[in-house]
Amino acid sequence: MVSLLCCGPKMAACGLVLSAWGVVMLVLLGIFFNVHSAVLIEDVPFTEEDFKGGPERIYRLYEQVSYNCFIAAGLYALLGGFSLFQSRLNKRKEYMVR
Amino acid sequence: MGSLFRSEEVCLAQLFLQSASAYSCISELGERGLLEFRDLNPKVSPFQRRFVGEVRRCEEMEKTFTFLQQELRAAGRLPAPCPESPRAPAAREALRVQEQSEQLAQELREVSRSRSSLRDRLRDLRQHLHVLREGQRFTSLPVGPGREPILDPSLHHHLDRKINFVAGVIHPWRVTAFERLLWRACRGYLVASFVEMPEPMEDPATGESITWVIFLISYWGEQIGQKIRKISNCFHCQVYGYPESEASRTEAITRLHGQIQELSVTLEETEKYLAEVLDKVAQVLPTWRVQVQKMKAIYLVLNQCSFDVTKKCLIAEVWCPVRDLTQVQDALRQGSVSGSCFVQRVPTTESPPTLIRTNKFTAGFQSIVDAYGVASYQEVNPAPYAIITFPFIFAIMFGDVGHGLLMFLFALWMVLYEDSPRLRQGTNEIWLTFFEGRYLILLMGAFSIYTGFIYNECFSKATAIFPSAWSVATMANHSSWSSAYLATHPSLTLDPNVTGVFQGPYPFGIDPIWSLATNHLNFLNSFKMKMSVVLGIVHMGFGVMLGVFNHVHFQQRHRLVLEFLPEMIFLLALFGYLVFLIFYKWIKFSAADSRVAPSILIHFIDMFLFTSNAENLPLYPGQVPVQMVLVVLALASVPVLLLGTPLYQWCRQRGLTVGAHDFAEIFMHQAIHTIEYCLGCVSNTASYLRLWALSLAHAQLSEVLWSMVMRNGFVGLSYVGGVVLVPVFAAFAVLTVAILLVMEGLSAFLHALRLHWVEFQNKFYVGAGYKLCPFAFAPDTWE
């Protein structure tokens, strides 16, 4: 049975911090994209076509980007869980090898 | 006032110690760590001092301890640090420690020696056994295919010669050379066979485990035998006797087995005894080390005292904080047998050392002030103000809510876990530097969050906490922008003069619409430059005012009128007026008269040149005469600053004879101070513009990072875009920490430090003192 431990303690801690930051920031970004915040207009990948016929098409684009942000936040939550698991394994290894 | 405002009063004192109780008194004082001892025998070499014998004894004990420590380390044990701090031992106890340590060292040496000799013998026996066993394979085996035949005496008995054997062990790397040399030297008259030992064994020279090669050479002829033996000698082979008959070989093998068994048992016993001795050592060594360190420190201090023959006591000269004199007396009473030791204050003209008591929070700020120069005795201390101004000036250059929050959380983690031994005992120097400054970083982060809200930047994005005060709809309706107009004009102007477009200033910070404007930087530059100048002049003015406390404390009230007043007038008349102009223009002028608004810069230049520019309207009626008066006032204060104090001192001491060159020095000093101050006012004000420059750099870097890294994550519109966003965000995070937090953070830290050390402190701080280093037993450090 191959060992499940693949990250050292420092890498697991970095992964945990990065995941926590990623989840918080991406969820907030997703929310802001969802409410069609004007400040984020530069980040929405629009084309010339999207500006015709009212703001609806731009709003759909906003929402698409916000769903992407939520997906990424979910992936980071998984990564965070994995890092937490690795750090628990590391702690256990520290207790056993004496 | 607490002692953070200015350093404590420190006095010179003399301790009178009876010879008998000197040691215990110093031990008591060392435990409390109150006084700094001065060396009363500076010209005496260390070998001629009074207590050199005791110091030498301590050093011998330390040598023994080092040997014991090495033995412990070689056996793979780490001595535990001493849990509580034992006191320095009395003379009898020290003798006992010395005897015991030497005895333990002797025992350890003997046991180690016997163990290594036992091991060598065991290895030898085992090698012999292997040689016999493997050699037996050759000599009792019939001649098989593929195997080099060895002359078996029974088969070739018709040969009228006697077969002899040389058997031994050789290093595997030397086998081919050995074989070749044997063949060349005694060709044909010998048969050699080599086989590897079944188990690897330790090489006595290098200690590494090698698979030795056993060789068995059968030869005939005496001379050949001698040659073979000489060659084996050259190759450092271990040669063993190889009995000829089968029976004697078997007997030798059984005998060897028995010997090895006995030896193993003895070796085990020896190892057990060694482990016991090491256990004992590990138990007592930490306490002994601390005790002997303290003893040595006490004797080094006693060496600094002078011996008074008439009163038969030791006299020590110490710097003592006045507040602690009673505690010192207490300690002396406790240490001495009959209460015969006492302390006496002594007047002195020398400048005492500086002592500022800090706690874990203020220690960081005091250390950054001390890094430039320790405060002179009882000079006003800039540290309590630096607690607020330093993080604030840092935050002006670093203003971003996101980055500030990250920094704040990092520092918060360090502060909450500051007692954890894992954090405290880090060995990385850079980590320790960050850990020492955890309260600094905490405040810097908190203030950066505040300035981030003012600049309205969070990871370079503006946040619309309050609705924006600019209305694009009103402007569009007013100008009736048609589609054709919008198609041909990529950049549109929102005119605040049109009613309804600008609805008033944003409640807190900068309006978020500016982050979408193309003239964002034009607006922000003007704001930040003026802000930097205002903050700089306020900071410097505060520095000049701190000088008042120094003048009053050192009984130099004439300097209040002759130095402080002209300095203040110079600063306020010129640069205070500039601050006034900035605020006046901000309040009085609005978007309505933006086309004819006067330029402050042109007015300021004209003020000095006494000219006027027709196109530049005055800010208020009567501006020109007011400015003329201010300039004259400022220029008039310069000679007062230059000549005031020297002339005053000359008048005071007119009766006394004072050398001419003394006054020349005073005049020169004052001239330098005047020039430095006046030119400094101009250059230092400009120097504060780095606040603008660095905040601009930080904002731009932040924006570039977002647009070049993070924006790529939003490009994908299908749901795959969500997966792509994961590594893009990781890259963004790593670059944010590396470039924006670490690099920009260190840069802003450095510039804030420079502004404090040079621009702020040269208005009042001398910083020519030295710290009080009390004699205290340092916490034990393990190598």
Side-chain angles (χ1 to χ4, degrees):
Chain A
M1 156 92 169
V2 76
S3 161
L4 288 169
L5 189 71
C6 61
C7 310
K10 287 196 181 136
M11 182 141 151
C14 281
L16 208 54
V17 168
L18 182 67
S19 306
W21 179 6
V23 166
V24 171
M25 185 156 162
L26 287 168
V27 163
L28 282 174
L29 261 183
I31 295 175
F32 287 137
F33 272 117
N34 221 343
V35 297
H36 320 302
S37 155
V39 175
L40 293 169
I41 187 70
E42 302 281 331
D43 298 318
V44 173
F46 52 74
T47 57
E48 265 310 303
E49 291 295 307
D50 299 314
F51 283 104
K52 309 203 164 108
E56 287 310 315
R57 295 174 66 164
I58 303 282
Y59 285 168
R60 292 306 132 247
L61 282 178
Y62 262 113
E63 275 152 31
Q64 190 62 39
V65 179
S66 82
Y67 298 148
N68 283 349
C69 286
F70 288 133
I71 292 172
L75 289 174
Y76 267 110
L78 285 177
L79 195 69
F82 175 70
S83 300
L84 193 65
F85 173 62
Q86 289 293 318
S87 78
R88 285 262 173 80
L89 280 183
N90 270 313
K91 278 234 175 63
R92 217 184 294 161
K93 187 166 160 221
E94 215 178 270
Y95 289 147
M96 295 217 300
V97 179
R98 252 294 141 208
Chain B
M1 276 263 197
S3 78
L4 204 57
F5 178 64
R6 56 160 49 99
S7 65
E8 274 191 27
E9 211 185 324
V10 170
C11 65
L12 191 64
Q14 277 185 337
L15 303 175
F16 293 89
L17 309 163
Q18 297 287 17
S19 312
S21 35
Y23 180 86
S24 48
C25 284
I26 302 287
S27 164
E28 190 67 44
L29 287 171
E31 293 287 334
R32 297 190 196 208
L34 301 165
L35 316 168
E36 180 179 345
F37 284 85
R38 295 177 85 191
D39 194 355
L40 291 173
N41 313 315
K43 299 204 184 65
V44 181
S45 86
F47 301 106
Q48 292 169 334
R49 297 204 184 210
R50 218 180 140 71
F51 294 95
V52 65
E54 277 83 353
V55 174
R56 208 172 281 152
R57 198 161 65 118
C58 292
E59 280 175 356
E60 272 172 25
M61 275 199 270
E62 281 186 341
K63 245 185 269 175
T64 319
F65 293 158
T66 319
F67 166 70
L68 291 173
Q69 171 97 345
Q70 273 170 354
E71 288 295 313
L72 274 181
R73 191 166 290 155
R77 292 171 200 242
L78 291 162
C82 203
E84 25 50 55
S85 191
R87 303 189 63 111
R92 231 176 308 146
E93 208 183 315
L95 202 59
R96 187 177 58 87
V97 167
Q98 190 175 17
E99 278 173 10
Q100 272 188 338
S101 66
E102 273 171 15
Q103 191 189 19
L104 271 179
Q106 186 69 11
E107 246 179 71
L108 206 57
R109 254 182 241 122
E110 277 176 18
V111 173
S112 300
R113 209 177 314 134
S114 72
R115 183 181 80 141
S116 56
S117 73
L118 280 175
R119 270 180 152 183
D120 281 340
R121 178 111 182 87
L122 187 65
R123 194 178 37 82
D124 207 41
L125 288 175
R126 283 164 77 196
Q127 272 183 347
H128 196 177
L129 183 66
H130 278 297
V131 165
L132 284 181
R133 252 205 231 125
E134 297 300 320
Q136 208 164 29
R137 279 207 292 156
F138 293 131
T139 47
S140 34
L141 214 59
V143 178
R147 254 249 162 259
E148 205 175 314
I150 294 223
L151 290 168
D152 186 61
S154 55
L155 282 180
H156 296 267
H157 59 273
H158 64 275
L159 288 170
D160 206 12
R161 305 179 212 221
K162 190 161 173 296
I163 306 282
N164 298 313
F165 295 99
V166 171
V169 172
I170 185 175
H171 195 282
W173 296 348
R174 300 195 192 114
V175 169
T176 30
F178 185 51
E179 228 180 320
R180 208 177 299 142
L181 196 56
L182 278 177
W183 169 248
R184 288 220 183 102
C186 340
R187 63 188 73 203
Y189 287 99
L190 61 81
V191 178
S193 51
F194 299 85
V195 71
E196 268 190 10
M197 219 189 276
E199 55 162 354
M201 240 183 251
E202 222 183 57
D203 179 6
T206 57
E208 52 180 273
S209 194
I210 305 175
T211 322
W212 299 88
V213 171
I214 298 171
F215 63 88
L216 180 67
I217 306 175
S218 34
Y219 65 93
W220 50 98
E222 198 47 49
Q223 286 189 340
I224 303 286
Q226 281 178 5
K227 268 196 210 164
I228 293 176
R229 288 222 157 72
K230 270 206 196 107
I231 294 172
S232 343
N233 233 2
C234 285
F235 277 88
H236 304 289
C237 309
Q238 191 76 15
V239 174
Y240 298 102
Y242 195 79
E244 284 180 17
S245 70
E246 184 88 24
S248 46
R249 278 200 288 264
T250 353
E251 190 205 316
I253 287 176
T254 23
R255 189 172 31 92
L256 279 175
H257 267 302
Q259 278 180 335
I260 288 175
Q261 191 80 341
E262 280 175 25
L263 208 55
S264 308
V265 168
T266 320
L267 190 60
E268 217 181 287
E269 294 283 317
T270 316
E271 299 256 2
K272 222 189 295 176
Y273 182 58
L274 183 66
E276 272 178 27
V277 174
L278 284 175
D279 273 337
K280 220 190 304 172
V281 169
Q283 222 179 0
V284 286
L285 190 60
T287 323
W288 283 351
R289 284 192 88 135
V290 175
Q291 281 182 324
V292 170
Q293 265 175 357
K294 287 195 180 178
M295 194 160 96
K296 186 168 162 193
I298 294 178
Y299 278 119
L300 288 175
V301 165
L302 282 175
N303 272 339
Q304 293 177 349
C305 308
S306 75
F307 185 69
D308 191 351
V309 192
T310 52
K311 298 195 202 111
K312 287 227 183 350
C313 66
L314 283 168
I315 301 182
E317 229 177 64
V318 293
W319 288 113
C320 177
V322 170
R323 225 168 63 170
D324 293 333
L325 270 177
T326 41
Q327 226 188 344
V328 169
Q329 186 68 43
D330 209 28
L332 287 178
R333 210 177 314 126
Q334 260 192 318
S336 65
V337 168
S338 51
S340 48
C341 306
F342 59 94
V343 59
Q344 194 182 37
R345 201 169 153 170
V346 161
T348 174
T349 50
E350 271 180 48
S351 183
T354 312
L355 171 68
I356 298 178
R357 290 187 218 257
T358 54
N359 56 25
K360 66 183 178 183
F361 176 69
T362 52
F365 299 98
Q366 188 65 52
S367 71
I368 59 174
V369 169
D370 285 344
Y372 188 64
V374 178
S376 304
Y377 180 61
Q378 296 233 297
E379 185 182 38
V380 77
N381 181 21
Y385 320 106
I387 296 178
I388 295 298
T389 57
F390 179 78
F392 184 63
I393 289 194
F394 171 88
I396 293 186
M397 295 190 267
F398 196 75
D400 189 303
V401 172
H403 303 149
L405 191 63
L406 288 173
M407 202 180 255
F408 180 77
L409 290 175
F410 172 59
L412 194 65
W413 167 69
M414 280 199 288
V415 165
L416 289 177
Y417 289 93
E418 65 187 358
D419 293 325
S420 123
R422 196 166 53 94
L423 284 186
R424 276 208 179 261
Q425 282 161 15
T427 43
N428 191 356
E429 256 194 59
I430 298 182
W431 160 256
L432 277 177
T433 312
F434 278 116
F435 184 71
E436 293 290 315
R438 58 196 181 278
Y439 286 103
L440 255 115
I441 301 177
L442 188 74
L443 282 183
M444 275 151 52
F447 277 72
S448 299
I449 299 177
Y450 170 76
T451 53
F453 277 120
I454 299 255
Y455 292 152
N456 213 347
E457 293 231 341
C458 178
F459 291 112
S460 83
K461 292 283 157 193
T463 49
I465 300 177
F466 304 99
S468 170
W470 292 75
S471 163
V472 181
T474 320
M475 188 70 196
N477 291 336
H478 173 265
S479 311
S480 43
W481 287 333
S482 64
S483 300
Y485 184 84
L486 290 175
T488 47
H489 287 82
S491 158
L492 305 156
T493 313
L494 293 175
D495 188 355
N497 282 322
V498 173
T499 42
V501 174
F502 177 62
Q503 285 146 17
Y506 197 66
F508 186 80
I510 294 188
D511 203 300
I513 201 166
W514 282 110
S515 68
L516 299 171
T518 47
N519 58 347
H520 180 202
L521 282 182
N522 278 347
F523 164 70
L524 217 52
N525 283 350
S526 160
F527 160 68
K528 284 185 178 173
M529 270 199 264
K530 291 179 176 171
M531 167 197 76
S532 309
V533 166
V534 169
L535 283 173
I537 291 165
V538 168
H539 203 206
M540 288 197 288
F542 179 59
V544 175
M545 297 222 290
L546 281 181
V548 171
F549 294 112
N550 277 343
H551 299 325
V552 167
H553 180 82
F554 292 119
Q555 313 290 343
Q556 292 172 328
R557 288 175 198 264
H558 62 275
R559 290 178 74 175
L560 282 176
V561 177
L562 296 171
E563 274 190 33
F564 169 69
L565 209 56
E567 281 177 356
M568 242 4 213
I569 289 176
F570 186 82
L571 184 68
L572 291 181
L574 297 178
F575 299 99
Y577 178 66
L578 179 63
V579 172
F580 164 74
L581 284 182
I582 291 173
F583 278 106
Y584 186 80
K585 185 174 171 188
W586 272 343
I587 297 172
K588 198 69 175 7
F589 290 82
S590 67
D593 25 26
S594 61
R595 290 196 188 282
V596 295
S599 156
I600 295 183
L601 195 58
I602 309 281
H603 274 300
F604 202 57
I605 295 174
D606 288 341
M607 180 168 131
F608 284 104
L609 298 177
F610 292 104
T611 56
S612 67
N613 205 329
E615 288 151 7
N616 208 11
L617 297 178
L619 280 156
Y620 55 90
Q623 184 177 358
V624 173
V626 168
Q627 287 182 174
M628 225 184 295
V629 167
L630 287 174
V631 174
V632 166
L633 209 59
L635 288 179
S637 65
V638 175
V640 177
L641 187 59
L642 180 64
L643 302 168
T645 313
L647 280 180
Y648 174 85
Q649 284 183 341
W650 186 51
C651 288
R652 277 266 302 268
Q653 297 177 346
R654 209 174 343 187
L656 312 163
T657 47
V658 181
H661 67 90
D662 264 352
F663 268 121
E665 210 178 288
I666 296 176
F667 271 105
M668 181 70 70
H669 178 87
Q670 196 64 20
I672 293 174
H673 176 80
T674 307
I675 295 173
E676 200 183 15
Y677 181 79
C678 297
L679 291 182
C681 268
V682 181
S683 77
N684 294 349
T685 307
S687 183
Y688 274 94
L689 286 172
R690 72 186 69 220
L691 296 175
W692 158 58
L694 261 97
S695 79
L696 182 66
H698 188 91
Q700 290 302 300
L701 267 177
S702 186
E703 203 177 302
V704 159
L705 193 63
W706 182 277
S707 62
M708 293 192 91
V709 179
M710 194 67 170
R711 198 163 283 171
N712 297 329
F714 302 128
V715 167
L717 276 175
S718 65
Y719 289 110
V720 180
V723 182
V724 166
L725 190 52
V726 173
V728 167
F729 177 79
F732 172 77
V734 167
L735 286 174
T736 296
V737 170
I739 298 178
L740 290 170
L741 286 186
V742 172
M743 190 186 87
E744 276 287 314
L746 284 175
S747 168
F749 182 93
L750 177 84
H751 285 282
L753 206 56
R754 178 253 155 68
L755 283 176
H756 275 77
W757 281 351
V758 178
E759 275 78 15
F760 175 58
Q761 285 180 209
N762 72 2
K763 303 286 177 293
F764 68 98
Y765 192 62
V766 174
Y770 60 105
K771 267 194 175 165
L772 179 82
C773 304
F775 168 64
F777 296 122
D780 35 9
T781 47
W782 301 98
E783 318 107 274

